[in-house]
Amino acid sequence: MGLDFSTGSAVLRLRTFGGLWIETVDGSRLPNPRPRRLALLALLAAAGQRGITRGRLQAIFWPDAGNEPARHSLSQTIYALRRDLGVRAIIAEADLRLDPDNITCDTDDFRAAVARRDWSTAHLVYQGPFAAGFSLDDSPEFDRWLEEERAGLARQAESAIEALALAAEAARDLPRAADGWKRLVGLDPLSARFAASYMSALAALGDRSGAIAHARSYAAHVRQELDAEPDPIVARLVAELRKDDPAPPRADPLGTFEPIAGRLDVRSVDRSARPAPAGSVRRIALAGLALGLVGVVAAAAAAWRSGRSATRPPVLAVGQLRDLTAPDSARQGGVLSEVLATSVARLSDIEVIANSRILELLEQGKDTLRSARTDAARRAGATEILEGELVPAVGGQLRLDLRRIQIGRGTVRRGYSVSGTDRLALIDSVTLLLAADLRIGPPRRPLAEVTPRSPVALRLYEEGLRAYYQAEPEAALGLFREALLEDSTFAMAAYYAYRVNIDVNGRDPVLAGRALRLAGRAPDRDRLIIEASLRGAQHDPMATVFADTLVARFPRDPEALILAADAFATQNLIGPRERALFERAIAIDSTAGLQPKAPCRLCLAMSTLVAHLQFADSGSAAESVIRRSMAMRPADPNPLIALAMQQFGFGRYEAGASTLAKLDGFPAGQQRLAGPIFLGRLMTGRLEEADAECMVHLGQEDPRTIDSYRWLCAIVWRNQGRYQDAAALVFAGRLPGGGALKVRRPRDVVGGVVLDLEMDRATAALRALEGVVPTRGTLPPGQFARDMTWNLARRGTAAAMAREYELARRLADSAEAVGRGSLFGRDPRLHYFIRGLIARGANDHQTAVDFFRRSIFSWNFGYTRANLELARSLLALGRAAEAIYPLQASLRGGWDGSNLYVTRTELRELLAQAFVATGRRDSAAAHYAAVERAWRRADPPFAARYQAARDFLTKHVAITP
């Protein structure tokens, strides 16, 4: 294709998109090497600079050969490639990778462009499916890998090109937008969403016949490939585009969607006009211009093409839209307001405040007041609000009168009126008039495509939102489910049902999957919210692509800002950009004056920011945000608990306990003293007090209490070196002294694995982990990748500890391949930890240190075994000073960090040794004192280590501990 984005001076270029071949720097194509050699290059191209281990390559190409024959065959393949190409194309070290000095690859350019969100470059580099047309007949493992890699790159390409098309639309670059949608329909010709978007782009350019011709092509392709009828979305769009062939009426509770035969009138109102009427219904003066729907579309498109607007487009919100044709005008008006908000949200060239945001900001008990809704719109950032009435007209028709009101001054900026017989068509038509008046592009998608079919469903949905924002989650969940029963295609009802169900019953993958499948039926903002939120919850890396588009399109929407910041920080830790997004969301909601009710988006923004700052080991910054939250919401007990846990994490027990004591001033039911105090004792080494609490709670008959404390008390006893007591509790449900739990509970598999690993029973841990392998297909891909990578990492740990190093290598290779499919930044790195254990088993501590460092994503909330093993290898190399930070960081990781995978006592013992080696005996003494207190009742295997700590304290502190 003549595209080359490489910047190096390599003599060869590997092309992988649209085929698989090699070129010289002048563009000449070389004869392809033999298929297996070319397949090796494809594998290394996909791996990038991470490389692939020899074991993984041998397992793909020669799975049935022994280790030595496979190793020999791989060496021969590498040698033959060098002979074929005349240069060293592969760096063959522990991990094999392409040599960038001699050969570059378009796959690297594509992934780099996606990573920096350079959609234009990604669009140009991606010239077709990865290694299109290539396969290895005698290597099914390679073909399986190739299909997965090809599909993954195709998804990234589609998302990148869609982001480019949407950006072009936002910039009013219609030709470039149409080009993007055309490219997408070429990549996925069966996608109704891509087809409809391309048709809309063509129509906006004035090529109505081309749009209809594409619809015919799409329908024929669907019938040929799927033996099914095309998506009705495309059929409805065709009906709207035909001048002389209106769509037949459809059965729809909101009426038939058809061109309006009545009047579509608009007249400007002087901008210094008197305030809008607060009570009586007044019709804005009308002109006599009668327009058909097609005429309105043409006018709006012409205004968009002109690209001239006298003033900056307003930020719109939808206020009261009363239905005076229905007996229950307030309830019907709520339905119409929701439909109008959905309709106006289709206008991609102005910012529209979501109706859900307005309901979120409404004060409880005032949600039916016009003034309250206007005030909520103002606090949400709207500059103008749309209000109006649907009234009876002569001849059995309906008339929709709409006013665009400037919020600050309360004056009418413009009035619109349309007449007809169909409510949905009236709202669609008035939206087109609004777009033409503002000189922005008309809606890209048909209103029928993004609007629920049932007004009953809309009414239930709005009532569900009210209940949700008034802290009534059970009622809200019931209303959202009823809305889905009324209209099974209602995307936002499915999304909110999923969100509320988390609070009531926990996560529901069925609801999540349903919302994602329906996302294409929602307006752009809602579709992106669904995609970014649920893909993030499912640990899908594509969440960042949707989040990036979301925050670019809706930079003042706090929900968009929080979702984007959370997705980016989950993948790469928090940085300046992510923090700025969180802070912007906090600023928006703090000035909006949220009411003291649940859910609290401000609280979510601040607590999520705190979590990511803690994950990045930025404790002082996290504490600062917590204290800001306390000042902003003094009636909320949660920041107090967060502050106390932060203080415990830094070893400040008295400060944390004092903070928790302030909960005494909160109403009953908000005090949560027992749990945090217990964790504080555990985290700060007050293990005797925690042990006493264990014996009280484990003697109860409440299964939930027993399950919680069985887990926590096993951690307490592990920290005390009392592994026999911990094992009896976890494996047999027995207490110290031989007594049994009063309620029989199922075996704790995860707790048992941790104990097996620490009690030198690695083979038993390996067997237990093999019994809990997640099954592909039962989980979303991202969730499967995360669960499977974690399982592989622990199995690899057990295999290395059992000295089964060949098995550990295979598990590391699998973890490397699977981990790339997870959003969580830790998962693509975990395989390095297993490789570090293997290197240390070979007494190669330098390589082990390199691998351990590469495995660490978060220093204090990661897999803290990596911190411990890194410190051990650093001490073995005589680099004690470098071992101090990893150990200190892991001690700041909370009870579920270091305590879960490595005991704090063991970390303190090693930290004391590092301080001794660096001559810092006072610091060493502080940690040895904690070790001595913890291990006073330890099992016999700890006797020598306990005595060593005691001896140090006796000698250097001059007192007997």
Side-chain angles (χ1 to χ4, degrees):
M1 296 292 178
L3 297 170
D4 194 344
F5 296 88
S6 60
T7 57
S9 57
V11 297
L12 297 178
R13 177 79 168 156
L14 179 63
R15 303 288 188 184
T16 66
F17 292 121
L20 189 60
W21 72 94
I22 304 167
E23 294 176 352
T24 61
V25 289
D26 62 1
S28 301
R29 185 163 173 171
L30 296 180
N32 271 349
R34 291 184 178 179
R36 193 178 300 275
R37 300 169 195 171
L38 197 56
L40 175 59
L41 291 177
L43 279 159
L44 297 178
Q49 289 306 301
R50 295 186 310 271
I52 304 180
T53 64
R54 293 175 182 271
R56 173 63 174 156
L57 292 171
Q58 290 165 201
I60 289 176
F61 290 127
W62 303 280
D64 299 325
N67 185 53
E68 282 307 314
R71 185 185 297 273
H72 176 73
S73 296
L74 178 59
S75 298
Q76 287 294 104
T77 302
I78 296 170
Y79 173 78
L81 259 175
R82 180 164 188 169
R83 184 187 59 207
D84 291 345
L85 303 178
V87 297
R88 186 187 75 161
I90 297 174
I91 298 175
E93 296 174 347
D95 292 350
L96 275 66
R97 61 185 186 276
L98 294 181
D99 185 345
D101 293 334
N102 292 320
I103 186 167
T104 60
C105 179
D106 55 2
T107 318
D108 286 341
D109 298 329
F110 175 76
R111 287 195 164 127
V114 170
R116 65 178 182 269
R117 297 176 174 84
D118 180 356
W119 310 129
S120 180
T121 297
H123 162 71
L124 291 172
V125 174
Y126 188 82
Q127 293 297 309
F130 179 77
F134 184 82
S135 67
L136 282 181
D137 294 338
D138 59 345
S139 182
E141 181 66 24
F142 172 81
D143 284 346
R144 279 194 294 271
W145 168 86
L146 181 58
E147 285 302 317
E148 292 181 3
E149 194 70 25
R150 188 176 285 157
L153 288 166
R155 285 194 299 271
Q156 291 185 55
E158 287 178 5
S159 297
I161 298 168
E162 182 173 6
L164 186 66
L166 292 172
E169 288 179 351
R172 302 179 184 179
D173 188 344
L174 295 182
R176 191 158 61 96
D179 181 63
W181 293 118
K182 181 179 181 181
R183 181 81 190 282
L184 285 167
V185 298
L187 293 176
D188 187 358
L190 297 175
S191 168
R193 183 162 64 86
F194 292 164
S197 298
Y198 180 45
M199 291 166 61
S200 297
L202 290 174
L205 285 168
D207 187 5
R208 188 185 305 269
S209 60
I212 295 174
H214 180 73
R216 294 194 193 99
S217 174
Y218 163 78
H221 193 67
V222 169
R223 292 187 182 104
Q224 178 180 349
E225 295 295 324
L226 303 180
D227 193 23
E229 288 304 303
D231 194 296
I233 293 172
V234 175
R236 285 196 293 269
L237 184 54
V238 168
E240 292 173 37
L241 291 171
R242 292 183 185 277
K243 287 184 177 181
D244 304 318
D245 186 17
R250 67 180 177 88
D252 193 310
L254 285 174
T256 57
F257 191 79
E258 58 185 6
I260 298 175
R263 291 153 54 92
L264 302 178
D265 302 331
V266 59
R267 196 187 88 175
S268 302
V269 175
D270 185 85
R271 296 188 179 182
S272 61
R274 53 192 173 276
S280 62
V281 178
R282 296 181 68 251
R283 181 179 179 184
I284 306 300
L286 304 174
L289 178 62
L291 300 171
L293 176 61
V294 174
V296 178
V297 175
W304 190 12
R305 283 194 293 271
S306 72
R308 295 189 299 272
S309 179
T311 60
R312 183 179 178 181
V315 179
L316 290 178
V318 173
Q320 281 192 344
L321 185 58
R322 295 185 294 170
D323 187 349
L324 301 183
T325 69
D328 188 352
S329 61
R331 300 186 76 188
Q332 293 295 333
V335 172
L336 289 178
S337 295
E338 182 67 40
V339 177
L340 179 60
T342 301
S343 181
V344 177
R346 296 177 299 151
L347 301 174
S348 59
D349 296 290
I350 58 170
E351 186 174 353
V352 180
I353 304 298
N355 197 45
S356 58
R357 175 68 171 164
I358 302 298
L359 293 173
E360 178 184 354
L361 294 175
L362 282 171
E363 293 186 43
Q364 189 168 354
K366 298 183 179 180
D367 54 323
T368 60
L369 298 178
R370 170 183 175 271
S371 59
R373 194 172 182 102
T374 301
D375 182 60
R378 176 189 58 77
R379 288 185 286 120
T383 59
E384 295 184 3
I385 192 166
L386 299 172
E387 295 180 352
E389 303 82 27
L390 182 70
V391 299
V394 295
Q397 290 202 328
L398 305 172
R399 190 183 73 242
L400 176 60
D401 296 334
L402 196 67
R403 296 174 293 279
R404 181 160 60 89
I405 301 170
Q406 187 179 39
I407 290 178
R409 300 171 61 186
T411 56
V412 176
R413 299 297 302 272
R414 189 78 73 179
Y416 314 93
S417 185
V418 292
S419 301
T421 58
D422 182 290
R423 287 175 171 82
L424 192 65
L426 287 169
I427 290 174
D428 191 46
S429 300
V430 82
T431 304
L432 291 165
L433 290 175
L434 176 66
D437 187 29
L438 293 173
R439 297 191 177 186
I440 61 175
R444 183 171 56 83
R445 303 170 67 191
L447 179 57
E449 178 186 332
V450 296
T451 304
R453 302 186 182 100
S454 166
V456 176
L458 281 164
R459 186 185 309 147
L460 291 166
Y461 170 70
E462 186 179 41
E463 291 176 4
L465 287 174
R466 294 176 191 275
Y468 179 54
Y469 289 118
Q470 292 173 6
E472 300 173 4
E474 291 86 358
L477 179 59
L479 289 163
F480 290 135
R481 288 189 179 278
E482 287 184 43
L484 275 173
L485 289 174
E486 287 290 332
D487 185 346
S488 61
T489 67
F490 197 166
M492 289 305 285
Y495 172 66
Y496 274 102
Y498 165 80
R499 279 179 50 174
V500 180
N501 195 75
I502 293 175
D503 298 330
V504 177
N505 301 312
R507 296 187 184 275
D508 186 339
V510 175
L511 276 174
R514 186 174 186 178
L516 279 171
R517 288 192 299 273
L518 295 173
R521 291 191 54 83
D524 280 352
R525 182 261 182 194
D526 293 343
R527 176 179 66 84
L528 292 168
I529 288 285
I530 293 172
E531 294 277 10
S533 175
L534 297 191
R535 289 185 186 277
Q538 295 176 353
H539 310 290
D540 186 340
M542 291 305 297
T544 58
V545 176
F546 288 104
D548 192 69
T549 305
L550 181 65
V551 79
R553 290 278 308 278
F554 305 97
R556 287 183 288 186
D557 186 321
E559 186 170 8
L561 296 168
I562 296 168
L563 282 173
D566 186 39
F568 300 151
T570 298
Q571 188 174 59
N572 295 307
L573 286 182
I574 192 166
R577 181 195 185 196
E578 291 75 28
R579 178 133 192 207
L581 292 173
F582 277 123
E583 292 291 358
R584 198 189 311 166
I586 292 168
I588 290 171
D589 265 353
S590 60
T591 56
L594 287 175
Q595 302 303 311
K597 59 186 180 181
C600 167
R601 200 178 305 284
L602 176 66
C603 307
L604 175 64
M606 300 192 86
S607 62
T608 310
L609 171 58
V610 166
H612 284 297
L613 288 170
Q614 290 173 332
F615 220 80
D617 201 19
S618 299
S620 59
E623 183 167 335
S624 174
V625 176
I626 293 170
R627 292 189 181 279
R628 283 167 53 200
S629 180
M630 291 168 60
M632 295 170 73
R633 294 185 62 85
D636 186 354
N638 292 299
L640 279 173
I641 298 171
L643 177 61
M645 298 306 294
Q646 175 81 6
Q647 292 165 330
F648 291 147
F650 279 80
R652 295 151 54 194
Y653 177 79
E654 289 76 13
S658 175
T659 298
L660 288 175
K662 297 176 183 178
L663 290 175
D664 291 339
F666 285 85
Q670 290 186 322
Q671 301 178 24
R672 307 176 191 177
L673 197 56
I677 280 287
F678 178 87
L679 295 175
R681 291 166 178 162
L682 170 58
M683 293 164 65
T684 56
R686 304 171 79 95
L687 299 176
E688 290 296 332
E689 298 172 44
D691 176 40
E693 189 173 340
C694 281
M695 298 310 295
V696 172
H697 287 283
L698 289 174
Q700 297 183 13
E701 297 183 2
D702 181 356
R704 292 172 299 178
T705 300
I706 290 175
D707 286 342
S708 174
Y709 276 89
R710 179 176 63 165
W711 175 261
L712 293 169
C713 294
I715 293 175
V716 171
W717 297 339
R718 285 171 48 221
N719 272 276
Q720 291 182 308
R722 296 165 54 194
Y723 279 86
Q724 294 302 322
D725 287 340
L729 177 64
V730 169
F731 292 112
R734 305 200 67 80
L735 299 171
L741 295 174
K742 292 183 179 180
V743 180
R744 188 176 181 86
R745 306 305 298 150
R747 178 174 174 176
D748 175 8
V749 176
V750 175
V753 166
V754 173
L755 281 169
D756 282 334
L757 290 175
E758 293 185 347
M759 296 174 72
D760 293 326
R761 301 195 308 227
T763 302
L766 189 58
R767 286 198 300 268
L769 287 165
E770 288 170 349
V772 291
V773 175
T775 304
R776 188 185 295 273
T778 61
L779 296 169
Q783 183 69 60
F784 171 80
R786 179 163 185 181
D787 292 355
M788 189 64 179
T789 304
W790 183 225
N791 179 276
L792 290 164
R794 290 182 296 175
R795 286 162 64 192
T797 302
M801 292 177 67
R803 302 184 186 279
E804 296 186 28
Y805 293 121
E806 189 56 39
L807 173 59
R809 285 190 185 89
R810 294 199 298 271
L811 292 168
D813 290 341
S814 297
E816 178 183 9
V818 176
R820 292 197 297 261
S822 169
L823 174 67
F824 187 25
R826 181 192 68 180
D827 295 336
R829 304 166 183 249
L830 275 174
H831 68 98
Y832 288 119
F833 175 70
I834 307 172
R835 303 191 196 286
L837 292 177
I838 296 169
R840 196 188 64 188
N843 208 34
D844 183 357
H845 287 287
Q846 181 55 60
T847 301
V849 164
D850 293 340
F851 278 135
F852 289 142
R853 285 190 187 280
R854 294 168 77 180
S855 76
I856 294 173
F857 176 61
S858 167
W859 286 98
N860 54 333
F861 277 94
Y863 186 23
T864 44
R865 271 188 178 274
N867 299 53
L868 182 75
E869 303 301 349
L870 171 61
R872 283 175 173 168
S873 285
L874 286 169
L875 286 171
L877 292 170
R879 293 154 58 183
E882 296 177 52
I884 292 173
Y885 173 74
L887 294 168
Q888 288 177 324
S890 61
L891 289 173
R892 294 190 287 269
W895 70 269
D896 55 346
S898 57
N899 283 297
L900 195 55
Y901 313 127
V902 178
T903 68
R904 301 173 86 87
T905 309
E906 193 167 10
L907 289 165
R908 288 186 180 278
E909 180 192 37
L910 198 59
L911 188 53
Q913 294 171 12
F915 279 128
V916 169
T918 55
R920 299 166 64 180
R921 297 188 181 278
D922 289 345
S923 296
H927 289 287
Y928 268 135
V931 171
E932 191 278 334
R933 287 194 302 271
W935 281 347
R936 287 176 183 173
R937 298 164 58 193
D939 295 342
F942 288 89
R945 294 163 67 184
Y946 169 75
Q947 190 61 46
R950 188 179 179 85
D951 291 345
F952 179 90
L953 293 170
T954 302
K955 180 178 179 181
H956 295 286
V957 183
I959 58 171
T960 301

